[in-house]
Amino acid sequence: MASSLYASFVPSLLCALFVVCVLKFGHSKALTNVSCIGAEREALMKFKQNLTDPLRRLGSWTGEDCCKWEGVECSKETGHISKLDLHNPRVFDKCSLGGKMHPALNELKYLKYVDFSFNNFSTEKAQESFTSLQKLEYLNLSYAGFGPISNQLSNLSSLRFLDLSGWNSWEPSTRLENHLWLSTLSNLKYLDMSYVSLQNPKGWLSLIHMLSSLEFLIWRGCHLEDSSTSLPVNFTSLRFLDLSQNSMNSSITPWFQNFSKLEHLDLSNNDLQGMFPTVVLENNQGLRFLDVSSNGMEGEIPKNSSIFCNLQVLSLFSNKFSGGIFNTRDGAFICERSNLKIIIVSKNNFSGSLPNQFENFKDLEFLDLSRNSISGPIPATVGRLSSLRKLYLSFNKLSGNIPESIGQIFNLEEIDIGNNQLDGTVSELHFANLSSLIKLRFYSNELVINVSTSWVPPFQIQEILMSSCKVGPEFPNWLRTQRNILALNMSNASISDEVPHWLPDILSNIVLLDLSNNTLIGSVSRIIGKKMSLLTQVSLSGNNLSGEIPNSLCMSNELSFLDLSKNQLSGRLPQCWRKSRAILEWIALASNKLNGYIPDSLCHLEQLQVLDLHENGLNGVLPKCLPKLDLVILDLSDNQFTGRIPLFGNPRSYNIINLGRNYFTGDIPLQLCHLANLQYLSLKHNNLSGGIPHCFNNFSRMWANSTLYFRSIEGFSMMVDIKGTSLEFTRTLPYLFSIDLSSNALDGQIPEGLMMLAGLQNLNLSQNKLIGKIPLNIGNLRGLESLDLSNNMLSGEIPSSISNLDFLSYLNLSFNNLSGRVPSGNHLSTLDSQCTYCGNDGLCGAPLLKDCPGDKHDDMGRHDDHNRSEDESNQGDYVIVWFYSGLGPGFTVALMGFCSILHFKQSWRISYIRVVDRIIEKLLIARMITTLWFKRAFQCR
C-alpha cells in the first residue's frame, strides 16, 4: 500500500527537481552545433568496448561527432560532454547494458549528469570510473547492479543528486560499508539509499545532521534502527522524508519535532509504537503526504481537524488507532474545504459513525475505512463526493439501507461495502449515474437486489461480488448486457432458475466464477463454455446441475480451482488432462453420481494439492501414479474402490488421507509411516487385514507440542466420526489430529508406537479383531478427546493411566474381554458410562453395579454401623422408639375401622375391589415396560 502511495505522489514532488535538472543539464541535440572533443570521444569508445549491449542500444556510437550519439549531450558553449544518460528505458526487459565499467570515464572532466540506472553492470572496480568527476552534480546508479559502495565517491563534492537505491531489502544488491564519507557531500539535496545494506545502521541520524542542505531523503528498507538522540538535529531544510520498511520499534522520537518545511513523511512498515506526535503536523502546515501504515501506533485522531486541512494523502492502515473517525469539535469540520485526495485508515479500531459532512471533501478520490468497527448508517451526503473513484467500507458494522444518493457519484469506479449488517432493497436508482463503475462488492449483507428484467445498467462491470445477497429467484437478466466480466460471485444468492443459454457468451473473459449454493438447473457445459481461456477459479457446488463434466475444462490452461461438488453430475471423470496445461491445485467433485475409475491422465496435474471425490460411485483400482502427486488433501471416501491401498511414499505431502467406506483389501502399507506431516488418517469401513503398523509413531505432526498446522484451505469441509457421532469440520480441520481404522479385520495388538502421538485427539480402532492388552502408557495421549476400542478381543485390565486423559469426553471400551477393577478418577467419573464398559463380564467396580472381590457390603457390617450410631445418639433413638410405639396401635385401629365399613357397605366394597384390580393391572404393565427398557439399554453396539 505504501509503495502505491509513493508511486502516485512522488512524481509531483520531484517534478520541480526534474525541471531544474533539465534546465541545467539538458541540451537538445537540435541546439548543439558544436563538435565532440576527440579525447572525450576516445574515452567513450574505451568505455563502450567492455560493455555488453544485447539490443544494440549503443549502435549510434559511431562517427566523429560523439555529441550526436544516443545518450550523450555536450555543452553548446564549450563542446565538452556534460550529460551521459544510459538508463534502461524498459526496466524489466533484456535491453539492459552490462559488463565492466572502464575507468576512462574519469577523462570526462566536465560531466555534470550521469544516469546508469536499471542496468546490470559488473561490480568490479565500477566506482573508480567516477572518482575524478569533480563537476558531477547528478549521479543515478539505482538498480544498476553495483556492489559495495566505498568512500571513493567522496571526491564528488559537487553532487546535488545521488541515487544508489537497490531492488529490495531481503536481497540487497548494494552495500554501504562506511557511510561517513557521505558527510563530505555538503551540497547534496537529494539522497536515495533505498534497500542499501548499511554496515552500521545506528549512526545514520548523526550523518544526516551534517547534510544541512538536504531536501529529499529516502532510506527505505535499510534496516535502520531506533535513533533516539539529544543532539539538536537540523532538519529545517528537509521537505521529503521516507524511512519506511525499516526496523524502528519504539515511539516516534522527539527530533521529529525539528521539521518545519516537511511536505512528505513516510514511516510505514516499521514497528513504531505509542501515540503519533501531532506536533509534527502542527509544525508543518505544508505537509501534503503522511503515511504511518503497518505499525503499532494507537490513540485517537485529534479533534483539531485543521491540522489535516492541507493534507492530500493520509494513510494510517494497519495500526491500533481508535475512537471516532473524523473526530470534530461540535460535530462540524473546521476546514471549509479539505484538500484530501486519499484516505486509507483501514484495519484499525475506529468506531462510531460516519460523518455527515462529506461535502467538505470535494477532492477526495480514494476512501478506505474497511476493517474497523464503524457502525450506523451510510449517510446520504456520501453522494456529494463528486471526485470519489474508490469507496471501501467493508468489514465494519454498518447497518440500515444503502442511500440512493450513492448512484450520483458518476466518477465512482469501485465500491466495496461487503461484510456489514446492511439490509433493505437495492434498486436501479442506486446505479443511476455510475457509468464509470467497474467493481461492485455487496457480499455478506442482507440486501435484496430488485431491478426490472429490462434494466440496462449504465456501466460495463468487471467484478461483481454479491454472495449472500438476495438476487433471485430468477437469474439476473441485466448481466446479459455486460461484456467485460472478470469476476462473478453470486453464491448463496437465492437463485432458483434454469441456467440461461446466453451465460457462456458474457463469461468469455471470466477469471473467477462462483455460483455455488443456489438451485441452478441445467448442465455444467451450459455454464462453462469453450472460450473461457482465462478462467482460474470456478465453484458451482451445492446446485442441481446435471450431465457430465465438460472436457472444455481441460482446455482452461489457467484453471487452478474447480469445485463442482454437491450436484447431480454423472458419467466418468475427464480423461483429457494428459493434453492439458492446466495448473489445477484443487479438484472437488464430491457428492455427485460419478462412476468409473480414476484415469491415469489425472496424474499429469503436477500442481494438484486437493483431490476430493468422496460420495460418488467411483470404482476400480487406484492408479499407481496417484500417490506420487504432492497432494495435501486426498478424500476418496464413500466410493467403491477395490484393490490394495497404494504406496504413499512422498514424505513432503499429505496432511489428510480419507479412504474410508470403500472395499480396499490387504495390509496397511508401511509406506504410510513416511508421511511425517500426516495428521488425519481414515481407513474405516474397508476389508483391511493384518496388524496396525508399529511405525505410526513417525507421524511427527501428531507429537506433543507440535505447532505445525497445514494452511487452512477456505471452503474445504469433511465429515468426521468422532465422540460417537458424525461432525462436520471446516475451518477447524487444520487443528484436528485423528486416526480412524475402525470396521476392518485388523488383528494383532495395539502397537506401543501409537502412544507417542501425544497430540492425537481422536483414536478409533473399534470393530476389528485386535487382541492383547490396552497399552499401559495410554495415558501419554494427553490430547485425546475421543477413544473407541469397542468390539475387539482385548483382554486384561484397563490401565490406570487412562485417568490421566484430562480432555477425554468420549470413551467406548465395550464388548471386549477386559477384566479387573474399572479405574477411578475425577475426570472419568464425568463420562457418560451407560455403555462405556458393557459387554466386558470381567470388569467390576464403580460405575458398574458389579462389586469387585474384597468389597464388603454385608448385613453384619450394616448392623455394626447401626449399633455405633445408637451409642452416639441416644436421644434420637428414644424419639424413634416413641414414634413407632404409637404408630403400631394407631395403624391397627384404623385398619379395623376400614374393614368394618367394607363389611357392612356393599357398594364401597365393590368399588374398592375394582380400584385394586386397576392398580394391579397398571403395575404389571409398568413392570413389562421396565423389563423391555433394561434389555435394550444393555444391547450397546
Side-chain angles (χ1 to χ4, degrees):
M1 180 63 69
S3 61
S4 62
L5 293 173
Y6 177 82
S8 64
F9 193 76
V10 170
S12 61
L13 287 176
L14 297 183
C15 183
L17 185 62
F18 176 76
V19 171
V20 171
C21 292
V22 170
L23 291 177
K24 193 163 187 177
F25 307 120
H27 301 281
S28 172
K29 294 181 181 178
L31 299 176
T32 304
N33 297 319
V34 296
S35 297
C36 175
I37 297 175
E40 295 183 351
R41 181 179 64 251
E42 294 300 322
L44 287 180
M45 293 304 296
K46 291 179 182 179
F47 171 72
K48 177 186 175 183
Q49 68 184 12
N50 289 339
L51 298 182
T52 58
D53 185 10
L55 296 184
R56 293 186 54 79
R57 285 173 49 198
L58 304 183
S60 63
W61 284 29
T62 59
E64 296 295 324
D65 193 357
C66 65
C67 295
K68 295 182 179 180
W69 293 356
E70 184 71 26
V72 180
E73 293 186 13
C74 302
S75 170
K76 66 177 181 179
E77 291 86 8
T78 64
H80 288 290
I81 297 176
S82 60
K83 182 175 182 179
L84 190 57
D85 188 355
L86 300 180
H87 78 277
N88 184 359
R90 293 179 289 184
V91 177
F92 298 106
D93 207 340
K94 296 181 180 180
C95 62
S96 61
L97 300 175
K100 298 180 180 180
M101 192 171 293
H102 200 283
L105 282 182
N106 281 316
E107 299 178 19
L108 306 178
K109 302 295 185 180
Y110 295 89
L111 262 182
K112 293 185 177 182
Y113 186 106
V114 173
D115 189 347
F116 289 164
S117 59
F118 296 101
N119 284 292
N120 190 22
F121 294 113
S122 172
T123 61
E124 184 180 355
K125 299 181 180 180
Q127 295 156 59
E128 294 180 1
S129 305
F130 310 104
T131 54
S132 299
L133 303 181
Q134 296 291 327
K135 296 184 180 297
L136 195 64
E137 298 181 8
Y138 183 104
L139 179 59
N140 190 345
L141 303 179
S142 61
Y143 313 102
F146 286 95
I149 301 173
S150 64
N151 57 3
Q152 293 175 338
L153 296 181
S154 61
N155 296 331
L156 309 180
S157 57
S158 299
L159 270 183
R160 301 176 63 192
F161 183 105
L162 178 60
D163 190 343
L164 301 175
S165 55
W167 283 106
N168 56 68
S169 59
W170 303 112
E171 296 180 0
S173 59
T174 308
R175 299 190 307 277
L176 188 60
E177 297 178 350
N178 183 4
H179 58 255
L180 296 178
W181 61 267
L182 285 170
S183 61
T184 63
L185 306 180
S186 58
N187 294 317
L188 204 61
K189 293 183 177 296
Y190 182 102
L191 176 61
D192 189 346
M193 304 287 288
S194 297
Y195 306 121
V196 174
S197 178
L198 303 183
Q199 186 177 13
N200 181 20
K202 292 185 176 181
W204 65 274
L205 185 61
S206 58
L207 165 66
I208 302 305
H209 172 61
M210 302 179 188
L211 302 176
S212 58
S213 300
L214 201 62
E215 297 181 10
F216 292 81
L217 175 60
I218 307 173
W219 270 10
R220 185 189 316 115
C222 297
H223 300 289
L224 301 179
E225 300 179 4
D226 304 324
S227 292
S228 301
T229 179
S230 57
L231 293 175
V233 183
N234 183 9
F235 282 131
T236 55
S237 62
L238 203 63
R239 294 191 292 136
F240 188 107
L241 177 61
D242 185 348
L243 300 178
S244 61
Q245 302 180 37
N246 281 291
S247 304
M248 295 181 286
N249 59 358
S250 66
S251 59
I252 295 181
T253 47
W255 52 262
F256 271 84
Q257 302 179 16
N258 297 340
F259 300 122
S260 59
K261 298 181 180 179
L262 206 58
E263 300 176 14
H264 181 113
L265 177 59
D266 190 345
L267 301 175
S268 62
N269 290 279
N270 282 284
D271 193 20
L272 296 170
Q273 310 291 325
M275 308 283 288
F276 180 81
T278 57
V279 66
V280 176
L281 298 174
E282 295 170 352
N283 293 346
N284 295 271
Q285 293 296 317
L287 193 66
R288 299 291 184 267
F289 183 106
L290 175 61
D291 187 356
V292 294
S293 61
S294 298
N295 282 288
M297 307 198 69
E298 53 191 274
E300 298 186 7
I301 292 181
K303 292 187 177 182
N304 181 14
S305 58
S306 62
I307 62 179
F308 296 106
C309 289
N310 295 320
L311 269 179
Q312 296 181 4
V313 176
L314 173 64
S315 179
L316 309 178
F317 163 78
S318 189
N319 277 281
K320 300 177 183 178
F321 290 109
S322 58
I325 188 70
F326 300 123
N327 277 331
T328 58
R329 291 179 179 174
D330 302 325
F333 285 104
I334 297 177
C335 309
E336 294 183 0
R337 180 185 178 93
S338 172
N339 291 319
L340 277 166
K341 294 183 177 181
I342 297 176
I343 299 176
I344 304 176
V345 296
S346 57
K347 205 174 180 180
N348 278 281
N349 299 320
F350 288 117
S351 57
S353 57
L354 294 175
N356 201 30
Q357 297 91 0
F358 273 120
E359 63 270 13
N360 294 73
F361 297 90
K362 297 295 185 182
D363 298 327
L364 193 61
E365 300 178 6
F366 191 116
L367 177 60
D368 187 355
L369 310 179
S370 61
R371 298 184 182 276
N372 282 286
S373 298
I374 302 172
S375 58
I378 300 175
T381 54
V382 72
R384 300 180 185 178
L385 298 174
S386 56
S387 299
L388 195 65
R389 295 186 297 109
K390 297 180 181 181
L391 175 62
Y392 298 148
L393 303 175
S394 60
F395 290 91
N396 278 289
K397 299 178 181 179
L398 298 173
S399 58
N401 300 333
I402 301 176
E404 293 179 353
S405 62
I406 208 167
Q408 304 303 316
I409 312 176
F410 56 89
N411 284 316
L412 194 62
E413 298 173 1
E414 301 179 16
I415 176 173
D416 186 353
I417 55 175
N419 217 303
N420 278 285
Q421 301 167 13
L422 299 167
D423 54 20
T425 301
V426 177
S427 66
E428 300 170 16
L429 293 176
H430 289 85
F431 308 104
N433 293 320
L434 302 185
S435 57
S436 301
L437 193 66
I438 57 175
K439 293 184 180 181
L440 176 62
R441 302 170 184 168
F442 283 179
Y443 56 93
S444 299
N445 283 289
E446 297 182 1
L447 299 170
V448 178
I449 313 300
N450 184 16
V451 295
S452 66
T453 56
S454 59
W455 178 56
V456 178
F459 49 74
Q460 281 294 319
I461 204 77
Q462 293 181 7
E463 184 177 306
I464 309 169
L465 306 183
M466 290 185 174
S467 61
S468 300
C469 295
K470 190 178 185 303
V471 178
E474 297 179 352
F475 203 91
N477 194 58
W478 60 269
L479 287 176
R480 191 173 186 177
T481 64
Q482 305 300 301
R483 290 291 179 269
N484 301 323
I485 299 179
L486 301 178
L488 174 61
N489 187 340
M490 288 187 175
S491 62
N492 192 29
S494 303
I495 302 176
S496 181
D497 195 6
E498 188 172 352
V499 177
H501 65 86
W502 44 261
L503 187 57
D505 296 333
I506 69 166
L507 300 180
S508 58
N509 297 319
I510 195 73
V511 175
L512 184 150
L513 176 63
D514 190 347
L515 298 175
S516 60
N517 297 313
N518 287 289
T519 315
L520 295 175
I521 304 172
S523 63
V524 177
S525 58
R526 203 166 183 175
I527 300 177
I528 303 176
K530 298 181 180 180
K531 300 179 181 179
M532 299 180 182
S533 58
L534 303 177
L535 188 62
T536 62
Q537 299 184 43
V538 55
S539 178
L540 302 175
S541 64
N543 281 286
N544 197 23
L545 299 173
S546 58
E548 297 184 352
I549 300 174
N551 287 331
S552 59
L553 286 172
C554 297
M555 301 300 107
S556 300
N557 295 332
E558 302 297 324
L559 188 63
S560 63
F561 181 99
L562 174 64
D563 189 352
L564 304 178
S565 58
K566 299 180 182 178
N567 279 287
Q568 302 295 322
L569 302 180
S570 58
R572 296 175 176 267
L573 295 175
Q575 302 187 31
C576 52
W577 301 118
R578 190 183 307 274
K579 300 178 182 180
S580 173
R581 291 180 295 172
I583 54 175
L584 267 168
E585 299 178 2
W586 177 309
I587 295 180
L589 304 174
S591 301
N592 278 288
K593 299 178 180 179
L594 301 172
N595 55 53
Y597 56 89
I598 297 178
D600 291 341
S601 62
L602 192 69
C603 299
H604 287 263
L605 302 175
E606 297 179 354
Q607 306 295 323
L608 198 62
Q609 297 184 30
V610 177
L611 180 60
D612 183 7
L613 303 177
H614 88 268
E615 198 177 351
N616 277 285
L618 299 170
N619 53 49
V621 179
L622 298 183
K624 295 182 180 180
C625 59
L626 187 63
K628 297 179 181 179
L629 293 174
D630 290 335
L631 293 175
V632 176
I633 297 176
L634 175 64
D635 191 349
L636 305 180
S637 60
D638 291 277
N639 280 284
Q640 301 171 22
F641 293 114
T642 57
R644 291 179 173 271
I645 292 177
L647 304 180
F648 297 92
N650 191 340
R652 299 173 302 170
S653 305
Y654 296 102
N655 295 106
I656 293 179
I657 294 180
N658 189 357
L659 303 179
R661 299 187 188 277
N662 280 286
Y663 299 101
F664 290 111
T665 57
D667 297 340
I668 299 176
L670 296 178
Q671 284 76 7
L672 278 175
C673 301
H674 297 160
L675 307 180
N677 292 326
L678 195 66
Q679 65 182 65
Y680 180 92
L681 174 64
S682 176
L683 305 177
K684 65 182 180 182
H685 289 276
N686 279 284
N687 299 319
L688 301 175
S689 57
I692 300 174
H694 290 263
C695 55
F696 272 11
N697 59 295
N698 291 339
F699 298 150
S700 57
R701 195 171 287 245
M702 301 187 194
W703 291 352
N705 302 323
S706 175
T707 58
L708 298 174
Y709 306 114
F710 72 92
R711 180 174 58 90
S712 178
I713 303 180
E714 184 71 24
F716 186 84
S717 62
M718 189 165 59
M719 299 301 297
V720 179
D721 290 338
I722 185 172
K723 300 182 182 180
T725 186
S726 186
L727 301 176
E728 183 177 17
F729 284 77
T730 52
R731 294 183 178 180
T732 57
L733 186 59
Y735 311 103
L736 175 65
F737 299 86
S738 172
I739 294 178
D740 191 344
L741 308 178
S742 62
S743 299
N744 282 284
L746 301 174
D747 53 25
Q749 298 185 3
I750 299 175
E752 291 286 339
L754 279 177
M755 303 304 107
M756 293 183 59
L757 308 181
L760 196 63
Q761 297 164 300
N762 178 42
L763 177 61
N764 192 343
L765 306 179
S766 65
Q767 303 283 342
N768 279 290
K769 300 178 181 179
L770 300 176
I771 61 174
K773 298 182 178 181
I774 300 175
L776 295 176
N777 55 348
I778 195 170
N780 292 346
L781 302 180
R782 295 283 186 171
L784 209 59
E785 300 176 14
S786 177
L787 174 63
D788 193 344
L789 303 178
S790 64
N791 289 277
N792 280 285
M793 295 181 286
L794 299 172
S795 59
E797 296 184 352
I798 302 174
S800 59
S801 66
I802 202 170
S803 60
N804 297 333
L805 304 179
D806 295 332
F807 297 101
L808 194 67
S809 59
Y810 178 83
L811 175 64
N812 192 348
L813 303 178
S814 62
F815 297 99
N816 280 283
N817 298 320
L818 301 173
S819 59
R821 183 183 297 276
V822 175
S824 60
N826 294 332
H827 185 69
L828 289 177
S829 62
T830 64
L831 299 178
D832 183 6
S833 58
Q834 181 178 353
C835 202
T836 298
Y837 309 105
C838 63
N840 293 278
D841 296 336
L843 290 177
C844 61
L848 303 179
L849 300 179
K850 181 180 178 180
D851 294 336
C852 293
D855 292 343
K856 296 182 179 180
H857 297 289
D858 55 349
D859 294 338
M860 183 62 69
R862 287 192 293 269
H863 181 69
D864 294 340
D865 293 340
H866 178 67
N867 289 338
R868 284 195 299 269
S869 178
E870 288 179 349
D871 295 337
E872 294 173 359
S873 54
N874 293 328
Q875 185 175 1
D877 290 343
Y878 174 78
V879 174
I880 292 173
V881 171
W882 176 85
F883 174 76
Y884 281 108
S885 298
L887 181 62
F891 178 77
T892 302
V893 172
L895 180 62
M896 292 178 62
F898 179 71
C899 292
S900 299
I901 293 173
L902 293 180
H903 177 76
F904 294 105
K905 194 72 172 177
Q906 183 178 1
S907 59
W908 283 36
R909 185 167 62 249
I910 295 173
S911 299
Y912 172 74
I913 293 172
R914 289 177 178 175
V915 170
V916 172
D917 288 340
R918 291 175 184 174
I919 292 173
I920 294 173
E921 181 180 359
K922 290 182 178 180
L923 289 174
L924 290 174
I925 294 173
R927 181 180 179 183
M928 292 175 62
I929 293 173
T930 303
T931 303
L932 290 174
W933 184 86
F934 274 105
K935 286 183 178 180
R936 292 179 180 178
F938 283 95
Q939 290 177 353
C940 296
R941 287 190 179 272

